[in-house]
Amino acid sequence: MSDVAIKRSGMRGKVDKLRRRLSRQQGQSGGMMLKTGIAFVLKVLSAIIAFAFNLVVARQLNHDDAGLFFLGLSLVIMLATFTRLGMDQAVTRFVAERIPERNWSGIRRCYRLSMVLGLITSSVMAVVLMLSSGYLSTRVFKPELQPVLMVISVAIIPVALGMLHARFFQGLKQMVGLQLYQNLGPTLVYLSAIAVLWFSGSDTSKLNLSVWVLTLSYFVALAVAVLHWKLSSERESRHLDQSHESPGAKDDPESSSVVADSADSPTGAELEEYHTIDMRYLLATSLPLWGITVVAMMDRWFGQLVVGAWCDISEVATFNVALRLAMLISIVVMSVNSISFPTFASLHRQNKTDELRRSALLASWMTLGMGLPLALFVLIFPGWLLGFFGPEFREGAQVLRALAIGQVANVASGSVGGLLVMTGHQNVSLKISFGTAIGMIALTLILVPWLGILGAGIANALSVSVQMILCVVMVRNKLGFWPMGFDRSPSTQPSTL
């Protein structure tokens, strides 16, 4: 063969290689946008159902009873987060990293261990809350809260385990399972049960009835989650084995994401290490993330607890509704996070720095483009939105504006917190979260006695804004690129990657 033919053949090989690489990158970006779009639609549906849930509670109960209902629910969600010991993001990262390696044995073992540990810790916390309900109600909150806590305390168990199931589905990039067991499922069951009771002539305005229905709704959703995971994991395992055995699986650009990049699988010795996951390994992975999760929930729920302890119970209802409306803005961030978190973990695992950078930039642009119009709407029409829940809720318009400003910073920064965690910088994220939480707690304790529920809203907004700014700076420092579209040049490859 002549030298010219050899050069031409070499050039064709390089062109084909470049074409395949560009096609793979475009496919990953398009796949991320498609899955994010699906997640966004599901999140919008979840937000609509959540809005209906808040509306039904505010309308069917009187103002004070609604405050007791929301205060009890907030306390349960906060304690359930505490009992999960940081396993939320740990299991998402674990599943996302092991799926390309076809390590289903390790995933199943992780599921069993996390469920056993979650069941033990949540059961203990439920008993503690039930036994201390009298003290908490009379010394910290309001005496009327005790009957609510006696019933809703057992809901800590299904709330904790249901969220863990949602995170396992997130690792599989199954958005339906994530949204269903994160909040959509229990809310749907509650609304359906209340509708049946209302049509049957029952008095749904009773606080005790609403609390019982909500508690049972969480248990029903958990039972469905357990069955769904069993069926889904078996199906994914069979599909993964078939895809691996198929000769054309590796060349098919449309093949399932769970078998992507299988050529980068670790050696048999490494897989054996993953098969031997035990409780010590699970705790070593999750406990560093525990602080991040608890601090994040403190940012969201601590203001409600201080309002419940300091302000009138009617103001608790107003603040809760305003906070839940403001959190609807973050549905964009959560929908992007639901697919970007496992994507970040997988790309980091495979040392694909440039693709990680592009995915982070894409995530930030999507959150900003979809979240900013929603935030502006809330900022312009807060009184109109709160009026749906009753005229007495309109007094929280300024609180809703303050909370919405904090969410603007959230949607503008993208998935920066999860980007740090999924790339192994959870300690950095923990330090940021802990520092901003200390500031938020101090501000809340200072401003609530002075400004009431508006003080809690201002403290929340400042905490979220400062936390997002610091996370953006640390992504640049640790990963070598700006995650908000400021840096278009190829990223440097730091030693941590």
Side-chain angles (χ1 to χ4, degrees), residues 6 10 22 39 70 92 142 156 159 190 205 214 224 232 249 264 289 295 323 325 376 380 408 440 448 453 463 478 485:
I6 293 175
L22 291 175
F70 285 127
T92 298
K142 305 293 184 291
I156 292 177
V159 170
Y190 173 85
S205 63
L214 180 65
V224 176
S232 181
D264 298 324
L289 304 174
V295 168
L323 180 61
L325 284 176
L376 292 176
I380 296 172
V408 170
M440 183 272 300
V448 168
I453 59 176
S463 174
K478 295 297 182 180

Side-chain angles (χ1 to χ4, degrees), residues 87-104 106-111 114 164-174 229 233 236 240 257-258 277 281 285 341-343 345-346 349 422:
M87 291 185 288
D88 307 57
Q89 298 186 51
V91 298
T92 298
R93 179 178 171 184
F94 184 92
V95 174
E97 289 178 346
R98 270 63 182 182
I99 281 293
E101 300 160 359
R102 303 178 301 279
N103 186 13
W104 266 101
I107 293 174
R108 292 192 187 97
R109 183 165 178 79
C110 178
Y111 174 81
S114 62
L164 283 179
H165 278 85
R167 296 306 182 185
F168 272 98
F169 282 107
Q170 183 181 12
L172 293 178
K173 300 183 181 180
Q174 293 188 11
W229 172 259
S233 60
E236 288 288 346
L240 192 112
S257 60
V258 298
I277 177 176
Y281 178 86
T285 305
F341 279 14
T343 300
S346 180
R349 179 81 171 180
M422 295 298 154

Side-chain angles (χ1 to χ4, degrees), residues 107-419:
I107 293 174
R108 292 192 187 97
R109 183 165 178 79
C110 178
Y111 174 81
R112 291 193 298 269
L113 291 175
S114 62
M115 289 301 139
V116 170
L117 183 59
L119 179 61
I120 294 172
T121 55
S122 60
S123 299
V124 171
M125 185 60 71
V127 173
V128 170
L129 179 58
M130 185 180 298
L131 295 178
S132 62
S133 60
Y135 177 84
L136 290 174
S137 300
T138 56
R139 297 297 183 91
V140 181
F141 301 111
K142 305 293 184 291
E144 300 87 350
L145 185 63
Q146 183 177 6
V148 176
L149 294 183
M150 287 293 294
V151 176
I152 205 171
S153 58
V154 296
I156 292 177
I157 299 172
V159 170
L161 299 184
M163 181 58 73
L164 283 179
H165 278 85
R167 296 306 182 185
F168 272 98
F169 282 107
Q170 183 181 12
L172 293 178
K173 300 183 181 180
Q174 293 188 11
M175 298 303 104
V176 174
L178 169 64
Q179 300 300 334
L180 193 59
Y181 308 119
Q182 193 172 35
N183 48 30
L184 182 60
T187 307
L188 278 175
V189 176
Y190 173 85
L191 292 176
S192 302
I194 289 295
V196 171
L197 291 172
W198 185 79
F199 280 112
S200 65
S202 301
D203 185 6
T204 56
S205 63
K206 294 180 178 180
L207 175 60
N208 192 51
L209 176 63
S210 295
V211 174
W212 269 110
V213 171
L214 180 65
T215 302
L216 294 175
S217 298
Y218 277 112
F219 277 101
V220 171
L222 175 60
V224 176
V226 172
L227 180 61
H228 187 183
W229 172 259
K230 178 178 175 58
L231 298 176
S232 181
S233 60
E234 291 176 354
R235 182 179 65 251
E236 288 288 346
S237 180
R238 289 195 302 269
H239 175 70
L240 192 112
D241 293 339
Q242 293 171 359
S243 300
H244 179 55
E245 294 171 0
S246 175
K250 293 182 181 180
D251 300 326
D252 184 6
E254 301 297 328
S255 60
S256 172
S257 60
V258 298
V259 294
D261 301 299
S262 60
D264 298 324
S265 303
T267 63
E270 293 173 317
L271 283 177
E272 180 63 26
E273 178 184 350
Y274 301 146
H275 280 305
T276 58
I277 177 176
D278 55 11
M279 190 66 74
R280 179 180 298 179
Y281 178 86
L282 178 62
L283 289 174
T285 305
S286 61
L287 286 180
L289 304 174
W290 187 23
I292 300 175
T293 305
V294 171
V295 168
M297 293 307 298
M298 289 290 288
D299 280 342
R300 178 174 179 180
W301 302 108
F302 182 77
Q304 299 182 58
L305 300 182
V306 175
V307 168
W310 190 270
C311 303
D312 294 336
I313 199 66
S314 59
E315 292 183 296
V316 176
T318 301
F319 182 78
N320 266 273
V321 169
L323 180 61
R324 290 170 185 272
L325 284 176
M327 292 303 297
L328 294 180
I329 301 172
S330 65
I331 63 171
V332 175
V333 178
M334 289 186 282
S335 62
V336 174
N337 288 350
S338 62
I339 189 64
S340 65
F341 279 14
T343 300
F344 293 158
S346 180
L347 292 176
H348 173 69
R349 179 81 171 180
Q350 300 166 54
N351 200 27
K352 296 182 177 180
T353 310
D354 287 337
E355 294 177 21
L356 175 65
R357 168 182 163 274
R358 282 190 291 269
S359 296
L361 292 174
L362 179 61
S364 66
W365 280 113
M366 285 191 294
T367 58
L368 180 62
M370 294 186 292
L372 188 58
L374 185 58
L376 292 176
F377 182 82
V378 174
L379 284 169
I380 296 172
F381 305 106
W384 180 76
L385 288 170
L386 288 168
F388 279 101
F389 299 88
E392 62 272 19
F393 287 91
R394 292 181 183 272
E395 64 186 28
Q398 295 304 319
V399 181
L400 180 55
R401 279 199 177 100
L403 293 168
I405 291 173
Q407 293 305 313
V408 170
N410 192 14
V411 299
S413 59
S415 306
V416 285
L419 179 59

